[in-house]
């Protein structure tokens, strides 16, 4: 429901500061219309003339007429980034990573969001299974683009089964509305053996291609399975041969899409190539990824790192805790998960490599982004001191909001290891 929105900060030299709007004031309306959330707010201020109704902290009501450029911001920050509560996920997916977390971690990790506004603002993937018809129309009206959408399967009955939600069947009705509105869409499939692979994957890719040119990209990601899968359906990881088959299957669709639409469209996560054996199925090159639209899904991370990172050019580009020369840099140890170990060893031939097994979530989890400080400390601390390392290079994606998944900051990890830490990828 529309409500008054508390202003928490006013940007220096902004329109709001000039109008003497302060933190603690409240936004009542714009052009005599109540604001539901950040979508309303952004849409309403995107004009050259508007009227703000502000409630001052002393209770006074101000009417402020503003003339500005269309795309000029007012400089207001609100108590909630969405100017509303975040929508929770109403699905029950068998591969949900939140449901596979151990107990006792920080509370924020257990919150499952499924909010279309976060898809637009931050690139979060959403299922669209909790939208009303009115919300779908509002998204089309506001032209929220791009959107990031979890599909998993095109067939309505199967998608309902996978998500555990009857409302999941409306997906392609909504996608067609978004297509007609000119909205760009990125998609993902979490692939589960025996559930949505094989012919079903073919059908899903084909269905999404029908949304061209608004279907911008699709990532195919292997299911992640931790050791904390109590009361969840049985799922198996993909074998080397099965991973090779998935890559071949996707490559056929890439060729088809390139020939017909001029884009590869569908991409395999890096993990598929590692599972398949990248000696036989080498990682695609930088140019293959068409601007890396699926990077957050682990698609093309190695190609980007391989292209942009050059050990000879490190000096002056990274804070090395006062290390002054390349020889000191080579005395840093490099921490990696099991998945990328062979690639990292090739990239750092002169450095000591520490391959960390994921004992926290289970050894079926091999990607560096799910490493924890607990495992790094238990498996690396003694070794780095015996090897006389001057510090450690860690993968940046170990940290979310400046802390590891087991709630340790960079400075805390440095203190526990007794060595400086730098991030390189």
């Amino acid at each position: 429901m529309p409500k008054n929105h508390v202003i928490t900060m006013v940007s220096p030299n902004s329109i709001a500061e000039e109008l003497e709007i302060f933190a603690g004031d409240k936004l009542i309306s714009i052009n005599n219309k109540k604001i539901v959330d950040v979508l309303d707010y952004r849409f309403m201020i995107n004009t050259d003339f508007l009227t703000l109704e502000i409630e001052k902290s002393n209770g006074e009501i101000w009417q402020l007429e503003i003339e500005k450029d269309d795309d000029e911001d007012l400089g207001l920050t609100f108590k909630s980034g969405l100017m509303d509560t975040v929508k929770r996920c109403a699905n029950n997916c068998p591969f949900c990573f939140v449901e596979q977390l151990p107990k006792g971690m920080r509370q924020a990790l257990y919150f499952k969001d499924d909010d279309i506004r976060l898809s637009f603002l931050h690139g979060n993937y959403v299922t669209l299974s909790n939208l009303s018809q009115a919300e779908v129309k509002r998204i089309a009206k506001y032209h929220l683009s791009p959107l990031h959408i979890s599909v998993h399967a095109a067939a309505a009955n199967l998608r309902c089964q996978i998500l555990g939600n009857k409302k999941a069947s409306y997906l392609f009705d909504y996608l067609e509305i978004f297509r007609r509105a000119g909205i760009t869409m990125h998609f993902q499939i979490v692939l589960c053996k025996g559930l949505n692979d094989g012919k079903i994957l073919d059908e899903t890719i084909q269905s999404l291609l029908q949304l061209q040119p608004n279907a911008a990209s699709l990532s195919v990601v292997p299911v992640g399975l931790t050791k904390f899968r109590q009361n969840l359906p049985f799922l198996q990881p993909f074998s080397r041969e099965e991973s090779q088959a998935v890559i071949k299957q996707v490559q056929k669709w890439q060729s088809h899409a390139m020939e017909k639409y001029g884009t590869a469209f569908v991409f395999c996560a890096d993990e598929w190539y590692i599972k398949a054996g990248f000696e036989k199925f080498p990682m695609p090159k930088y140019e293959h990824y068409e601007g890396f639209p699926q990077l957050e899904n682990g698609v093309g991370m190695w190609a980007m790192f391989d292209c942009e990172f050059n050990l000879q050019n490190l000096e002056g580009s990274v804070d090395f805790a006062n290390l002054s020369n390349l020889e000191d840099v080579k005395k840093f140890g490099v921490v990696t998960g099991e998945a990328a170990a062979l690639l990292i060893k090739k990239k750092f031939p002169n450095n000591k490599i520490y391959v960390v097994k994921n004992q926290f979530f289970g050894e079926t989890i091999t990607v560096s982004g799910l490493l924890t400080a607990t495992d790094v400390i238990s498996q690396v601390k003694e070794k780095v001191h015996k090897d006389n390392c001057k510090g450690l290079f860690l993968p940046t994606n170990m940290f979310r909001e400046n802390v590891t998944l087991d709630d340790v900051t960079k400075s805390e990890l440095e203190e526990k290891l007794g060595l400086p830490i730098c991030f390189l990828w």
Side-chain angles (χ1 to χ4, degrees):
M1 293 295 291
K3 53 185 177 296
N4 297 344
H5 300 280
V6 178
I7 297 165
T8 56
M9 188 176 76
V10 177
S11 300
N13 304 315
S14 64
I15 293 173
E17 185 182 64
E18 291 178 10
L19 293 172
E20 299 183 352
I21 299 173
F22 302 117
D25 295 346
K26 296 178 182 178
L27 173 65
I28 300 175
S29 67
I30 300 177
N31 295 339
N32 296 317
K33 294 183 179 179
K34 287 282 188 177
I35 305 301
V36 174
D37 58 15
V38 67
L39 301 185
D40 277 352
Y41 175 74
R42 289 198 173 192
F43 184 79
M44 296 288 287
I45 68 170
N46 192 29
T47 182
D48 58 0
F49 185 84
L50 58 114
T51 302
L52 288 188
E53 187 177 12
I54 298 290
E55 180 183 334
K56 300 295 289 179
S57 57
N58 62 6
E60 290 183 3
I61 305 298
W62 286 11
Q63 296 280 349
L64 303 169
E65 293 185 346
I66 299 172
E67 191 169 351
K68 65 178 188 62
D69 294 335
D70 285 355
D71 58 354
E72 190 175 4
D73 191 44
L74 298 180
L76 298 177
T77 300
F78 297 92
K79 187 174 182 180
S80 163
L82 289 181
M83 302 175 71
D84 195 12
T85 55
V86 178
K87 276 196 169 189
R88 287 180 174 271
C89 179
N91 304 317
N92 190 27
C93 301
F95 48 77
C96 177
F97 202 81
V98 175
E99 298 294 338
Q100 300 183 71
L101 293 175
K103 295 180 180 179
M105 303 179 74
R106 66 181 185 276
Q107 199 58 39
L109 294 175
Y110 300 100
F111 183 84
K112 297 195 295 182
D113 68 79
D114 194 16
D115 198 310
I116 192 73
R117 297 165 298 190
L118 294 177
S119 178
F120 168 62
L121 294 170
H122 303 300
N124 294 26
Y125 274 86
V126 293
T127 65
L128 309 183
S129 63
N130 58 0
L131 295 180
S132 66
Q133 291 290 338
E135 288 172 313
V136 172
K137 290 178 180 178
R138 188 168 76 122
I139 292 162
K141 172 187 173 183
Y142 287 172
H143 189 77
L144 295 192
S145 187
L147 295 177
H148 299 78
I149 300 161
S150 294
V151 177
H152 308 316
N157 290 340
L158 179 58
R159 189 168 192 264
C160 289
Q161 176 189 332
I162 292 173
L163 269 62
N165 188 336
K166 293 181 180 179
K167 293 182 179 180
S169 63
Y170 300 114
L171 174 68
F172 277 85
D173 295 333
Y174 297 164
L175 297 184
E176 178 59 21
I177 292 171
F178 297 159
R179 186 192 68 79
R180 291 178 181 176
I183 293 172
T184 297
M185 295 170 282
H186 299 277
F187 305 104
Q188 74 166 352
I189 295 170
V190 175
L191 202 65
C192 303
K193 187 161 66 172
L195 186 60
N196 59 344
D197 57 345
K199 291 183 179 180
I200 294 169
L201 176 60
D202 285 331
E203 293 168 1
T204 303
I205 296 172
Q206 185 176 33
S207 297
L208 292 172
L209 273 172
Q210 305 306 311
L211 299 167
Q212 286 287 334
N214 300 85
S217 71
L218 166 64
S219 62
V220 180
V221 183
V223 61
L225 306 172
T226 80
K227 64 183 180 182
F228 301 100
R229 286 188 57 81
Q230 291 88 349
N231 303 317
L232 290 173
F234 177 72
L235 292 174
Q236 287 183 306
F238 287 85
S239 67
R240 174 174 290 238
E241 292 74 20
E242 289 162 343
S243 299
Q244 293 172 355
V246 170
I247 294 172
K248 290 178 180 178
Q249 186 176 5
V250 168
Q251 287 174 339
K252 289 180 180 179
W253 282 107
Q254 288 172 336
S255 298
H256 170 76
M258 184 62 71
E259 182 179 345
K260 189 169 183 178
Y261 303 107
T263 173
F265 176 63
V266 55
F267 302 92
C268 283
D270 290 6
E271 194 174 350
W272 288 112
Y273 297 96
I274 294 168
K275 284 175 174 286
F278 61 83
E279 301 90 346
K280 187 174 181 180
F281 287 81
M283 293 278 191
K285 300 297 184 183
Y286 188 97
E287 297 76 16
H288 169 78
Y289 291 100
E290 300 182 0
F292 297 88
Q294 295 279 353
L295 192 65
E296 292 301 315
N297 264 336
V299 177
M301 292 184 71
W302 179 257
M304 177 173 281
F305 174 68
D306 187 47
C307 182
E308 296 183 353
F309 173 70
N310 186 336
L311 191 59
Q312 301 302 319
N313 295 325
L314 287 178
E315 288 185 281
S317 64
V318 180
D319 177 13
F320 290 109
N322 299 319
L323 298 179
S324 59
N325 59 64
L326 191 58
E327 290 307 310
D328 282 340
V329 171
K330 290 178 181 178
K331 292 176 183 176
F332 263 51
V334 182
V335 170
T336 179
E338 291 183 286
L342 290 177
L343 295 169
I344 292 295
K345 287 175 181 177
K346 289 182 178 180
K347 199 67 177 176
F348 294 86
N350 300 309
N351 293 69
K352 199 75 176 180
I353 309 299
Y354 299 98
V355 181
V356 177
K357 290 187 176 182
N358 202 320
Q359 296 174 345
F360 190 92
F361 289 112
E363 294 186 14
T364 55
I365 301 296
T366 60
V367 294
S368 61
L370 293 176
L371 290 178
T372 60
T374 300
D375 283 339
V376 171
I377 293 167
S378 66
Q379 298 177 45
V380 171
K381 183 176 180 179
E382 290 186 10
K383 294 177 183 178
V384 293
H385 290 287
K386 285 181 180 178
D387 294 333
N388 295 316
C389 290
K390 288 185 173 290
L392 279 177
F393 292 140
L394 260 63
T396 308
N397 58 2
M398 265 188 65
F399 288 77
R400 305 286 196 283
E401 299 178 359
N402 300 315
V403 296
T404 59
L405 286 168
D406 52 344
D407 214 21
V408 177
T409 66
K410 175 178 177 283
S411 59
E412 288 171 341
L413 185 52
E414 286 178 320
E415 183 178 349
K416 291 179 180 181
L417 290 170
L419 288 172
I421 290 170
C422 293
F423 301 126
L424 287 182
W425 72 97

